[in-house]
Every structure is written in C-alpha cells, then in structure tokens.
Amino acid sequence: MDWILPKRLQPGMTLAFTAPASATEENLEALEALVKEHGYKSVFGASCYRHGLYGGTPEEQAAEFNAFMTDDSCDAVIALRGGYGTVRYLDLLDYEGIRKSQKPFVGYSDCTALHTAIGRYSRLVTYHGPMGVDWLKPGREKDVAHLFDLLEGKTTVVEPLPAPPHGFIGANMEEGRLIGGNLAILCSLGGTPYAPNPEDWDDAVLLLEDIGEPPYKIDRMLQQLRRQGVLSRVKGVALGTFTDCEDEDEPDYEIGAHVMDYMMAERDEAAPEPFVCYVPTGHGRPHQALPLGSYVSFRAISNTLVLFPYCEAALAEIEKLNDMPVDADTAVTVGLVKEVNTADVMNGNTDVVADVTTESVAVLNTYADSLAAREARIHEAVKAMEQPLIDLSAYLHDNPEVGLTEHKAVAAITKVLKNKAFTVKTDVSDGTIPELATSLKADKGNMDSFFKMAFLGEYDALPGLGHGCGHNLIAAMSVGAAIGFAAAVPEALTTFFGCPAEETVGGKVFMANAGVFNGYAGALLTHPADVNELGGSSLASHPLEVKFIGRSAHVADLEDHGINALTCAVELYTAVNALKAQWGDEVVIGQIFTEAGEAPNMIPAEAVLHMTVRAHTVEFLEDIVLPAVRSKAEEIAKAQGAKVAMRHYEPLFKDLREDKTWRDLAQAVMTEWGATPTILPDNVAEGSTDMGNVSHVVPTVQLTLAIGEDMGLHTPEFAARAGSPEGLVMIQKGAHIMAITALRYWWRYGRDFDRAIE
C-alpha cells in the first residue's frame, strides 16, 4: 500500500479539536477566536471538556477520534494536547476509514503513537506540529503560521536550521521519508504491531525529540533503537529539541555525536554515509511542523530541510498509464480510443475525440498529464525552435561583446523570448547596480506558483578571442530549455536569467547578492567543453590589492633613508608564499607587483601588490586565509614605519556547491541523451566561477557537455568550434537535457504544490 497525502486545507474549512491523550483545562473560546482569525471554523470534541488524566475512556477517545477522522463534520483534526493515553486504543482505530477520508492530523509528544499507527496501517502522511494548547502560548505566532502554510500546501522549506555547532554531522545532504517523533513513545512501541513498519527504515530519516529525560535515559533509549537495528538502517536522524534533558552529572552529553556513533556501529559498508541534522521542532521553541511519512531532503549547503510531499498512489497509476501504446499518428489507449491526433493528446485537448466513452476521455486526460506526455511537449517545443536557436547562437558568435557591453546579445535574446510569450525585463536591478545593466529576466507561466525554475544564460565574449568559452552556446541552450520547460509545465513559473560579464566582474555575483535567484527550486546552466562532466567544485576567490605607503628619499642620502614601500611589498610577497606552503593545496595564491617605484635612485614611496587569493571553500578563504594575509601586511607595515591600504579589486566568487538531487537527475538524463558524464569528486576544483555564488542561494547544477575533443577553453580552436555546425547542433541536446531534468524534478518534488490533491 502506497503512502498518500492528506487533502490540502483552504480557509473556510472546519478544524476539529480533540484530546486524544490527557485531558486539559484550556480557554477554548480564545482558541476558537484564534482559529477564526486564520479564516477557519472550529468544533471541539467532548474530550476537550473532560478533566483528569485522560480525555475519556479508551472506547470514548477512539470513537471521537474515528468520527472526526472519517465523517463530514470537519476537514482536519488537531490534538488539543499530549500527555498520556493514545496507546490505549490503537487497536480500536478505523485505519481503512482514516485512509479513505485523507484528513490532516496534527499533534506531537504522546500523539507519536497515533502518527506511527496511522503511518503503518493507513499510509497517510500526518503532521508533527504544535497542538491547540501551544497555539495560545506567547511567542508561538510564527509556529502557528508555519503550520497553516504547511496544511495549505504553501511550505516547501524549513529554514534556517539551528546553526553550527549543531548544524549537521556526517553526509552533507540526503533524502528520505520522515518517520518518528517522540523518542520515549517510539521506543515504547518497539516490538508491538504499532511501531513503524520495519520495511520503512531503509528509506527513512528518523525524527527524534523529547522532554524531561536525563542523558542516561536518552542513551538507554538510543541503545534500544540501535539494538533493534533501526539506527544502522536509516539514512539519517533529524534531532528536534530535547527540552529540560540536561543533567549536571553529564554536562557534556552530546546527543548528535552519540546518534552518529550508533548509526555507524553496525552499518553495512555499502550503505550511504548517514547524517545528523538539527531541526526546530518538539517541546521547545520554535516548533515548526513537519510532515511525517513524506519525503524530505536535508541540505547542509543551504542549512535547510526541503519538504517534498507527494501522492505516491497517484504516481503509480500515472506510471502505469505511461506504458500504454501510443503510435506516431494516433493515440490508441487500451483499444478504446481511435483516430485521436497525437498533438491534441499531448496538449490535453480531448474535446476533439469523437465516439469514445467517458472512460476513454478520462484515460486520455490522465495521459496528457503524464510524465511521458510532458516530455513529448518539451521535445515538440525545443525541436520547433531548432533553427531560431541556431540563428541566435550564430548571431552572438558573429557579434562578440565583452562583459558589460552585451547590448546586441540582450536585444537578440529578448526578441526570441518575447516571440514565445515570455515577459522580459532588462536590467534586473532597475539601474541601481551598474554591473547589471546588461542583465535580463524573462518569465513565463504561473506567477503565483510555488515552483519556480531558473535557466541561466551567459553571452559575454573574450577580448580579442570572441566566444572562446562558448557563451553563445550557453545562452541558446538555456533559452531553448526555458521554452521547453514552460511548454511542458505551464503550472510552474519558468525564468530565463541573462547573466552578464561572467568573464570579468561576474554578473551572477551581483545578481545573487541582490536576491534575484531567491525562492527558485533549481538553477541550471550547461557549459560546452571537450568532455561530458558533472560534479566537482570551483575555487572561492577574492582578489586583493595591498598598497604600502612609505616616504621617498634619494638612495644615497646619508641623513634621510626614507621608508621603502617596496621592501614592505617584497617582505609580504615572501611571507604570503610561506603561508601558502603551510596551507598546502587548500589554497592557491598568485602575486604580481603592479607598482614598485619610479626610478632606481629613489626610495619607492609606494608599492602595490595584486593577489588572486583562492581557497576550496569561501569559509576558509574569508575566515582564515584573507585575515592572515591582512594581518601579515599590517605587521610588516608597522615594523617598517609605513602605512598600508588594502581593497578587493574584484568581487568575491564563492565555491561551487552542486546539489546532489539535481545532479543525480541530470546524470540520468545526460546518459539517456548519449552524453554519459564523468562524475567529479566534490573536492576537485579548478578555477573560479560566479555560478558558485548562485549555488549558495539556490540548488544548482552546472552541466558540462562535449562539443568536440581535445580542445581547451579560451583558445582560438574552441572559439571556432563554438560557431561551427558541429558546435551549433549541440544546442538541441543541451536544451533537451536541462528541460527534461527540470521536468523530472518538478514531477517528483514540485507538482503537488501547484494543484490540490482531490
């Protein structure tokens, strides 16, 4: 039985509150008013008015819970509080009816028993989130707002996660189905029919939180999960808050470190490296709701947890339909439909069908919404643009413009995209950032969509060499990909970003800093080369100018020896090389003297060093390397009696950090299109690129596509190849690969955010 999502809520619906565990005395009128402020109605079960340890007998509580979860009196069920008691009636729940009604259920703590039982027998995603008693507490407004956003299908990311040192341990990203909740309740269910399904552990991210348990009890429970074989199987553990769990006898007890040790203890060598991340959920504050039973992806780079709920049952049915035979001229579906034009089917136009059954039309409508049909739309759209894209690329190649002067390129790209009904805006900064005067942003699709897809193009040339880096191909491939994806997924927002001056100041640096990429689900760019590759990284770079100011004097003056600025510069040159030797391959530094005096018989009053300072990560560069260089320069100047001034003469290029989920999808599509890529290790970095800055604000992949063999970039040979028929023909391949990769990501992770699940 596949997992299914609960129905999405809308204002005007009714929320039912129940006390599934302990009873409580709360101001229900205040809670009713709060629900009304959010645009909803509320009903309260009899358990909400009872007093004592429980909200009723097991039979009473089970009957109330079953009624709310299955009848027409409400649209979602919210636990009023936790406490104790849910485990008493797990055998009395109507799991079949709960699955059929698909209502959201929210709770945590003792409600973990309900989550796990419903997850096992109803396969319905439920929500580990704040309960009614929490809604009324001071400072919980953001938690409640987040919960409503999640229930209404508006939330895709939980950010930021708790910062280091409690950021993450182990693998830097992984995807799995979120299962778990309260550690004590989870352990108490071990060995019972209401524990999570053992088959789920291999694909799970285990959520754990608790309150009031000293370290030795926590460790005992973790040992139980270890000995049950749970920790060695899960992909990772998401640790929520452990409130009031400190013990003065064990002040240094670190739960995350122990969890990692226990996950590794009996782990199969072939299993992926596990991780521990820390999420803001549980008995503490903040408490952001999370979907239990849904897929999530932990991403250390952006320090976020991405939520990917989708209905697997619907997926399975659609995948079956994709196997139905459809020939070149007609769509013949299980022998029921005849003489239906393929283009009409692909575009969802079934009104043209004559003399067919209602069942046939339903099947055709489903096929039109299938992954296969959408990929066909990409092919149709991109193939139709074959000659216009070649013409665009050839025009850019024949009219090379260096960075910040790409006016012809912007005009040509704008014309192509406007002809395909994109809304185009030039200069994304509205004149506030000079480096972005030749940037552009072209949108098509649903501007209100929660899924936004970005395809990035470059179009600046190299001085004296033209398009020796193939930017004419990059621009055309991304334009084609945007057109194809927009045709296949009109529900989403498709954006082509024109990015200027990659070869000089790095336009994407300024665009990323300005926030233009924020909120996009992915950013793709394909770079031509002489190999097919994915992965690897780039070096973070922040070029530095160091200017020493001394005092001039004649070299033979016996009284005034001046202050030799060049001596300072030479000393720094030597000292930086010594520092570089200490850092090893982690750091790459190049130095030249750009000013070293005017005459050999004069003590130089000024001397200037230019350094390209690079490191494998921006953190190491900015926190370790550059501070050490600056400190050494100041130390030398002070010793010589000189002054020193330092400035960065180019912007900070951050290291490229490709998204693994996107990379895996791109690898599969590239292989299908005959461009099987070599996957470079993450620690392989050559040069610097402003795509690195993009990757720090949005999930990013830069694909490398071969247009020939044994040709280095930035050479006359590569420039010629980029404008040749052999180079131009690769535009179709690059555009298809990016558009299909984006479609498959949307199909798996994004589509249910843009439509209600009926």
Side-chain angles (χ1 to χ4, degrees):
M1 183 166 54
D2 296 310
W3 285 85
I4 58 173
L5 273 177
K7 295 176 182 178
R8 185 179 296 177
L9 294 189
Q10 299 178 32
M13 290 183 170
T14 300
L15 309 184
F17 290 86
T18 181
S22 296
T24 183
E25 294 184 11
E26 291 296 329
N27 186 345
L28 301 184
E29 292 182 358
L31 185 56
E32 182 179 12
L34 179 59
V35 171
K36 187 175 181 180
E37 289 178 11
H38 284 272
Y40 288 83
K41 295 174 285 187
S42 58
V43 295
F44 296 89
S47 62
C48 299
Y49 299 95
R50 295 190 178 109
H51 305 286
L53 178 59
Y54 306 118
T57 66
E59 292 74 17
E60 289 172 336
Q61 288 181 294
E64 181 173 291
F65 190 81
N66 283 332
F68 279 150
M69 290 294 291
T70 60
D71 67 18
D72 297 329
S73 65
C74 65
D75 302 285
V77 181
I78 316 294
L80 188 62
R81 65 157 295 178
Y84 172 72
T86 57
V87 73
R88 301 180 308 148
Y89 55 86
L90 297 180
D91 59 326
L92 302 178
L93 297 185
D94 179 7
Y95 295 105
E96 183 177 348
I98 289 172
R99 178 178 174 85
K100 183 178 180 180
S101 296
Q102 287 184 251
K103 292 185 183 181
F105 169 64
V106 181
Y108 70 104
S109 192
D110 196 63
C111 294
T112 296
L114 293 173
H115 289 307
T116 57
I118 292 171
R120 181 161 183 169
Y121 294 110
S122 301
R123 305 304 264 179
L124 174 67
V125 170
T126 55
Y127 296 98
H128 183 282
M131 298 179 284
V133 294
D134 301 310
W135 294 17
L136 297 174
K137 294 177 181 178
R140 294 300 183 98
E141 295 80 7
K142 290 184 178 180
D143 292 344
V144 176
H146 171 84
L147 174 60
F148 275 100
D149 284 345
L150 188 59
L151 295 174
E152 293 172 2
K154 299 177 181 178
T155 297
T156 59
V157 178
V158 175
E159 60 179 345
L161 300 185
H166 297 301
F168 77 99
I169 307 171
N172 65 8
M173 62 180 67
E174 190 52 83
E175 176 183 318
R177 193 180 297 280
L178 191 66
I179 292 175
N182 182 265
L183 174 59
I185 300 300
L186 197 63
C187 287
S188 73
L189 294 173
T192 75
Y194 303 102
N197 191 328
E199 296 177 358
D200 289 337
W201 290 128
D202 292 327
D203 195 33
V205 174
L206 178 60
L207 173 65
L208 298 175
E209 64 83 32
D210 219 318
I211 183 172
E213 301 287 358
Y216 79 90
K217 287 188 178 181
I218 292 174
D219 196 75
R220 182 169 61 197
M221 290 185 281
L222 293 177
Q223 289 288 359
Q224 180 177 341
L225 294 178
R226 173 187 176 184
R227 301 306 177 188
Q228 289 174 335
V230 172
L231 294 182
S232 63
R233 293 174 61 185
V234 297
K235 291 182 173 180
V237 172
L239 290 177
T241 54
F242 280 74
T243 306
D244 298 329
C245 292
E246 299 81 9
D247 191 324
E248 60 182 16
D249 293 331
E250 296 182 83
D252 299 323
Y253 184 84
E254 171 50 53
I255 299 173
H258 285 78
V259 168
M260 177 59 73
D261 289 343
Y262 300 156
M263 282 196 289
M264 295 296 295
E266 290 89 20
R267 201 169 193 82
D268 190 296
E269 291 183 0
E273 181 186 1
F275 70 91
V276 174
C277 69
Y278 296 76
V279 293
T281 191
H283 286 79
R285 293 173 52 192
H287 182 173
Q288 295 198 22
L290 296 173
L292 294 174
S294 168
Y295 269 91
V296 299
S297 177
F298 167 63
R299 307 199 174 171
I301 290 174
S302 56
N303 200 33
T304 58
L305 195 71
V306 183
L307 312 180
F308 295 141
Y310 61 91
C311 180
E312 295 179 5
L315 265 181
E317 292 303 316
I318 291 171
E319 287 169 355
K320 291 177 185 176
L321 289 167
N322 287 348
D323 293 331
M324 293 180 179
V326 181
D327 64 29
D329 300 314
T330 62
V332 183
T333 309
V334 295
L336 297 174
V337 181
K338 298 179 180 179
E339 298 180 357
V340 180
N341 184 277
T342 303
D344 288 322
V345 176
M346 298 306 180
N347 292 317
N349 180 13
T350 53
D351 294 336
V352 300
V353 180
D355 193 26
V356 296
T357 66
T358 302
E359 179 183 0
S360 303
V361 174
V363 172
L364 274 176
N365 277 327
T366 305
Y367 180 78
D369 189 41
S370 70
L371 181 60
R374 290 179 187 267
E375 288 195 12
R377 287 181 212 161
I378 287 177
H379 178 69
E380 182 181 359
V382 176
K383 189 66 177 176
M385 289 295 296
E386 183 171 11
Q387 192 57 49
L389 292 174
I390 288 176
D391 293 343
L392 171 64
S393 185
Y395 175 80
L396 298 183
H397 190 271
D398 294 342
N399 295 272
E401 300 166 295
V402 297
L404 306 182
T405 69
E406 313 99 315
H407 301 289
K408 291 180 180 179
V410 170
I413 293 170
T414 297
K415 182 178 179 181
V416 171
L417 289 170
K418 280 189 174 181
N419 285 340
K420 300 304 294 183
F422 279 76
T423 301
V424 183
K425 171 186 175 64
T426 56
D427 188 352
V428 298
S429 75
D430 292 320
T432 61
I433 303 174
E435 291 84 356
L436 297 182
T438 50
S439 63
L440 68 87
K441 179 177 183 282
D443 294 324
K444 186 176 181 179
N446 180 6
M447 299 298 292
D448 296 323
S449 172
F450 298 112
F451 190 92
K452 301 189 293 183
M453 185 65 219
F455 299 94
L456 277 54
E458 300 168 357
Y459 33 71
D460 62 316
L462 294 161
L465 191 58
H467 280 288
C469 203
H471 289 189
N472 61 307
L473 297 176
I474 293 176
M477 285 189 282
S478 286
V479 167
I483 291 170
F485 182 78
V489 193
E491 304 97 317
L493 175 65
T494 304
T495 302
F496 170 85
F497 283 106
C499 309
E502 190 274 338
E503 299 288 359
T504 54
V505 300
K508 290 188 279 295
V509 174
F510 297 91
M511 296 172 78
N513 291 343
V516 301
F517 302 123
N518 292 355
Y520 281 81
L524 299 182
L525 179 148
T526 296
H527 203 298
D530 58 356
V531 293
N532 298 311
E533 285 181 345
L534 284 169
S537 182
S538 66
L539 296 171
S541 172
H542 209 176
L544 180 67
E545 177 187 272
V546 182
K547 181 177 183 179
F548 289 100
I549 304 169
R551 190 179 73 252
S552 182
H554 196 282
V555 295
D557 192 321
L558 298 178
E559 296 183 357
D560 186 0
H561 298 289
I563 298 175
N564 196 325
L566 181 57
T567 297
C568 297
V570 171
E571 284 189 24
L572 180 61
Y573 181 95
T574 303
V576 167
N577 283 339
L579 287 171
K580 180 181 175 299
Q582 296 176 20
W583 291 318
D585 295 338
E586 178 72 17
V587 174
V588 177
I589 299 178
Q591 303 182 80
I592 63 169
F593 296 94
T594 60
E595 189 175 338
E598 299 177 356
N601 62 343
M602 298 295 295
I603 300 294
E606 293 186 357
V608 179
L609 269 175
H610 273 198
M611 305 179 189
T612 55
V613 189
R614 292 183 169 97
H616 276 267
T617 68
V618 67
E619 292 84 3
F620 195 78
L621 176 67
E622 295 290 290
D623 298 341
I624 304 297
V625 177
L626 286 170
V629 172
R630 294 189 190 100
S631 177
K632 183 60 68 174
E634 292 167 351
E635 176 187 322
I636 291 171
K638 183 178 181 180
Q640 294 290 337
K643 296 180 180 179
V644 64
M646 289 172 275
R647 71 178 182 93
H648 292 286
Y649 58 89
E650 288 183 8
L652 168 64
F653 281 54
K654 298 181 179 180
D655 52 303
L656 178 64
R657 300 178 179 181
E658 287 194 339
D659 183 273
K660 183 178 182 295
T661 300
W662 276 102
R663 184 198 304 167
D664 290 346
L665 288 171
Q667 178 184 2
V669 178
M670 289 180 72
T671 301
E672 291 172 18
W673 279 77
T676 302
T678 299
I679 307 300
L680 300 178
D682 291 341
N683 60 354
V684 173
E686 295 181 355
S688 304
T689 172
D690 55 2
M691 277 296 284
N693 296 65
V694 179
S695 73
H696 282 252
V697 296
V698 62
T700 300
V701 169
Q702 178 168 296
L703 301 81
T704 301
L705 186 64
I707 64 170
E709 296 179 355
D710 300 323
M711 298 178 299
L713 297 176
H714 292 207
T715 62
E717 294 77 16
F718 197 87
R721 187 73 171 192
S724 69
E726 294 82 3
L728 295 172
V729 76
M730 301 302 290
I731 296 171
Q732 281 285 304
K733 180 177 285 190
H736 271 93
I737 289 172
M738 284 191 288
I740 292 172
T741 298
L743 169 63
R744 292 184 184 178
Y745 186 96
W746 174 85
W747 181 261
R748 184 171 185 184
Y749 301 130
R751 63 194 178 113
D752 281 327
F753 289 113
D754 289 323
R755 66 181 185 188
I757 296 177
E758 298 297 337

